[in-house]
Structures are given as structure tokens and as C-alpha cells.
Amino acid sequence: MTALSPAYRDAALEALSAKEVDVLVIGGGVVGAGCALDAVTRGLTVGLVEARDLASGTSSRSSKLLHGGLRYLEMLDFGLVREALRERGLILQRLAPHLARPVRFLYPLKHRGWERVYAGAGVTLYDTMALSGSLPRHRHLTRRGALRACPALRRESLVGALQYYDAQVDDARHTMFLARTAASHGAHVATRAEVVGFLREGERVTGVRVHDLEHDRTYEIRAHQVINATGVWTDDTQSLVGERGQFHVRASKGIHLVVPRDRIHSSTGLILRTASSVLFVIPWGRHWIVGTTDTGWSLDKAHPAASAKDIDYLLTEVNKVLARPLERADVEGVYAGLRPLLSGESESTSQLSREHSVSSPVPGLVVVAGGKYTTYRVMAKDAVDACVHSLARTVPRSVTDRVPLLGADGYPALWNRRGLLAAESGLHVARVEHLLGRYGSLVHELLDLIRDDPGLARPIEGADDYLRAEFVYAAAAEGARHLVDVLTRRTRISIETFDRGVVAAPHAAELMGRVLGWTPSQREREVENYRLRVEAERASQEQQDDETADAARLGAPEVVPVRVV
């Protein structure tokens, strides 16, 4: 089982600089990690480099849904919906059953008669297009039935409802598992490795120059084909080539609020119509996620800021249907992400395509952009297909629809044995369920850590949902290099606690430091950097517009500075 350990990372960079690979992927988001897995499972030699952490951009800041997109049916984009629903079924049933799970939604109806027929027809089509039957079909509810499922709703806000199912996933963990699965098949994966230039032979791209941000070293990595899978940074990466791309990517900002589960009395999620889009209230463990917005963004891409205006908008919209309104004080977490949308010259973000495109602007370089989280595997397949077309040899077709991620094999049996695992480990069964939902069949590696050091079975101070063993494991096996990697992506402490993880930070740093060899001063520096990050985010969320919110967020230093193209 390949662990993304510190030693593995260093060895990966050395291996990539020593020998030309078939495919080098730039970008450690869900599409880049998917490309690496697709290519390596076709028998190609593969490298993946990421300037920050795995999933540090859009792929850790989504609505965390695996869905076809009901609203795309209204746009008559049946192909996109059918494709996404097929991928949803694959992830749930075969590829990552340990990370993905069904989620139930209630769609309140405001008008009698026509709306039930209209919305009901759409959801019927949605269920039919899913084909697999892996999730229950929708139901029609009376107002009384809807209020029974969601007592939090104002009685006068609905006349009835539809109930349907979609799925959700922890996007950052899923992306990390994609990269780790690629590594287990032989791909070389290196984070904190920034591409600073392209290698050329005439017009052909033949590789990249990479700056190792951890050790301040520069490597040349040669590749037959390079894939630019950098999402909202696509145009920035393309500028390093010195060639105008065949399409451009615009960023649309979406923000989400996280509130405790007891603030909304409901056994189901909600989907609500707003004037410009839809609003989700999504169950998330002991919390709810409320989102999202859809506004153009042209400021800092690494740390998009949520303004007070954004937060107030979501609270206003969700409070239109809640009997007990949410207040600003109820918000324990806020996060903002950028959608990479394919752009023309002057469209508004609501009109930009969620479909993806693949192009080869110069020989040796493939660019993939657009799309949505759920369809990452199709995007990766199309990008690698474009590479294969130029490799001048026979390469097998994509097999990623039949390649489960690490942790998937044996998961259903382990879930059925969770009571026995609890008895054997001494953990409460609820703790075992938590670990199974985050690690699947790799849970044994966590239990081995606890067996060797029983103190790791305790919850970490300041974030009771997570065990101390998870922080050691994140640094030893999941590629976490810095405190922020663990508090915001390997776990979700940064948005699931009112203090945003400040209390847990020193304890997490001590545990990570054991693996990463941090000195006391390094631990203090990591904790201080995280505290400044939280302080800057809180300040940005008090600002009234994007410009001042962005300026406030940029007040915190990067834990590892990345050059801005």
C-alpha cells in the first residue's frame, strides 16, 4: 500500500527528474488526480506535480455533492445530466463506496397544481436517467408530510414537497484518495512542487521546470505529453508556454456556510429556488452546509474571500423558509471556492458552460478545463485520450470505471463487522463508523497506530470528532506537509468548529511534528501561520465587498510562498 509519506515525495521528485515519463500532469485537484490515475492504469509512466496541497483549490471547496444537476434539466442539457448521474452511480457503488453516501433532499412546492406536475416530471426524468437504481426514487409529499420530515420549515412557505435522493462526498479526501490510488499503481506524486516554466524543443513541449518549494530546489522533468489540469489557474499556466489557448477559463465564486445540526430541525436536506439559482441545505455529520452563491471573481485565486454581503445573502435566502431564522452567530464555518467555467468574451457566470473541453494548443501539451466535480473521471479520460493520440503507440482504453480507489475493496464487509472491530480495538462503535467513512478498508492502518500507541485513540483537543491517530496518519500516509493541510483538507476542523481550529492547532502540530521531524520552533511557526490565516479569514468576512474582503484575506502569509504567474 503506497503511503504519501515525506520520503515518498522526495523519491518521487528524484524519479521524475531522472527519467522521461509518458504523461506529466500539472495540478493536484480532482481532475489532475483523475488524469494521473487514468494514465497509470493504462500502463503509462506518469508524474503529477501540484504547487500547493492536493485539492487545495476548487476540489476542497465544493458543495460536496455528487449530482446530475437538476437545474441543468431546465436548460435541456440532458447529456450532461445523464453523464453525471452515471458517474454518481459508479462512485457510490464501485469506485468509492467508503467515501460517498446517499443524501435525501426535500424540494418545497409553493404553488398548487402546475408546480407539482412540472417539478414532478423533472424529478421523474432525473430518476429515470440515473438508470442504475442505486438510490430510492422520489416521492410526493403533502404539506403535513413535508413538515414531518422537516419541522424547521415555516408552514406558510410551502403547499407540499417532493423528496428525492442525490449523493455527497468529502471532496478533499476523495481527491487525495485518487492521487494515492494513482501512486499505488506506480504514478509519482509530488505536492509543493510548482511548475515555473516549460521545456521546449522547437514548437513542441517536452516537459517542465519544477521548483521544490519545500527544499528550494529546481528540477527538470521531461515528458512525452504534459496535461494542464490546473482549473481556475488554466490561463496562468498556459501563459508560461507563451501560446494563446483555444479557450479561456473564468472563475465564479461560490460560498458556503456551516452551521451546527441543532440549528435546523430536519431529517432531510433542502433544495430551494432563489431568484438567480438554487440553494442547498446539506446534512454534513453534526452540521449543515448552506450554499451557494454564483458571482464572478477576478481577484486572488488561491484564497477567494467570502464577504459579509455573501454571508448575509445566504442567510437571507435560507431564512425565507425557516421558522426559526439563522443568525450570524449560528455560523461556525465559512468557505469560498472558485468554479472553473469555460468562457467566451462577455458572458455572465450564470451563462457559462459547466461542460468541459480538451485541447492541444501546441504539440506535447493537452489542456483540460471546465466541467463539474461529479464528472472528473470523464474529463480525465478525455484528456488522457488526447495524450494517447499523440504517443504513436497502442495504449489500452481507460479502465477507471472498473478501478476502485484504495479503501473501497472489502468496505461493505467491514461496515457489517463494525461492532466486532469496535470490540477488538476498544473504540466505541461510533468512532469505528467515523473511521470507516473516512478510510474504508485502510481503517486497519489507523487501528494499528492505536494498538502501538493507545494515546492516539483519544479525540484531539478542540475537535472531538477526530482521533489523534488521524493527524499522525495524515502526515505519514496522506501527503499532508503542513498544519493547514490537515485542519482544512484531511479533516474539516477549520469549518466545523466555532474557533475554526485554533484550539486544535497546537495539538495537531505536535502530532504531525513527530512524523515530519519538526523542531519546537517549526511547530510554533505552523501554529502561528494557521492562527493568522483564521484571523485574516474572519476579517475578510466582515467586509462588505469583494475587493476589501480580498485585501483582508491576503493579510495572512502563505505557509509556503508560491510564485504568482
Side-chain angles (χ1 to χ4, degrees), residues 216-459:
D216 193 23
R217 297 180 295 211
T218 300
Y219 296 88
E220 288 193 349
I221 301 174
R222 299 195 174 274
H224 291 292
Q225 293 285 311
V226 176
I227 297 177
N228 175 3
T230 52
V232 294
W233 286 275
T234 297
D235 293 355
D236 300 308
T237 307
Q238 189 67 26
S239 71
L240 293 173
V241 186
E243 302 279 349
R244 182 178 173 88
Q246 296 175 15
F247 51 78
H248 293 282
V249 173
R250 282 177 58 187
S252 167
K253 184 179 71 168
I255 83 144
H256 297 78
L257 311 180
V258 182
V259 300
R261 196 67 180 262
D262 63 4
R263 301 304 197 271
I264 301 175
H265 186 196
S266 178
S267 63
T268 176
L270 297 173
I271 177 173
L272 310 168
R273 278 191 177 276
T274 69
S276 59
S277 187
V278 295
L279 186 75
F280 286 101
V281 180
I282 306 163
W284 181 255
R286 293 201 286 175
H287 317 270
W288 297 99
I289 294 175
V290 181
T292 181
T293 57
D294 186 4
T295 55
W297 180 263
S298 59
L299 302 169
D300 180 66
K301 296 187 181 94
H303 306 292
S307 67
K309 181 180 178 181
D310 294 326
I311 295 169
D312 290 343
Y313 167 80
L314 288 182
L315 290 175
T316 298
E317 290 296 327
V318 75
N319 284 340
K320 290 178 180 178
V321 301
L322 295 181
R324 175 192 164 192
L326 292 175
E327 300 176 357
R328 187 71 182 264
D330 294 320
V331 177
E332 55 188 337
V334 181
Y335 65 95
L338 300 177
R339 304 176 190 89
L341 304 180
L342 298 182
S343 171
E345 294 301 316
S346 62
E347 300 117 320
S348 68
T349 60
S350 62
Q351 296 171 317
L352 299 185
S353 174
R354 292 312 306 274
E355 298 193 48
H356 68 275
S357 286
V358 175
S359 72
S360 183
V362 295
L365 176 65
V366 169
V367 183
V368 56
K372 58 204 295 284
Y373 193 100
T374 309
T375 57
Y376 79 89
R377 195 192 64 81
V378 178
M379 296 174 67
K381 171 187 173 294
D382 290 349
V384 177
D385 281 346
C387 291
V388 167
H389 183 71
S390 301
L391 282 178
R393 72 176 193 263
T394 301
V395 176
R397 292 183 176 182
S398 174
V399 296
T400 50
D401 60 338
R402 303 190 300 280
V403 178
L405 302 191
L406 292 180
D409 283 339
Y411 168 73
L414 281 172
W415 181 259
N416 290 341
R417 295 187 66 249
R418 61 194 185 278
L420 292 173
L421 287 175
E424 292 167 3
S425 65
L427 296 173
H428 191 280
V429 68
R431 296 290 186 189
V432 173
E433 290 176 351
H434 161 88
L435 293 176
L436 284 170
R438 286 169 51 75
Y439 304 93
S441 56
L442 300 188
V443 68
H444 294 297
E445 298 184 2
L446 275 294
L447 298 180
D448 287 345
L449 285 175
I450 290 170
R451 191 174 300 112
D452 293 340
D453 181 355
L456 297 179
R458 299 199 314 271

Side-chain angles (χ1 to χ4, degrees), residues 89-171:
L90 276 174
I91 296 168
L92 271 172
Q93 297 173 67
R94 185 185 301 169
L95 305 183
H98 54 312
L99 303 175
R101 47 198 53 87
V103 60
R104 185 171 57 166
F105 284 103
L106 195 74
Y107 175 65
L109 300 170
K110 297 181 180 179
H111 306 281
R112 297 186 185 278
W114 70 267
E115 189 182 18
R116 187 179 289 277
V117 173
Y118 178 75
V123 180
T124 298
L125 179 59
Y126 195 69
D127 285 344
T128 302
M129 292 171 78
L131 296 176
S132 66
S134 60
L135 295 177
R137 295 181 68 83
H138 77 279
R139 298 171 55 211
H140 284 262
L141 299 178
T142 62
R143 177 159 60 185
R144 178 178 297 178
L147 292 172
R148 191 179 302 121
C150 182
L153 289 171
R154 290 170 41 223
R155 182 178 178 81
E156 62 272 21
S157 69
L158 74 165
V159 297
L162 295 173
Q163 187 176 83
Y164 76 99
Y165 283 79
D166 252 319
Q168 71 178 176
V169 70
D170 185 325
D171 48 8

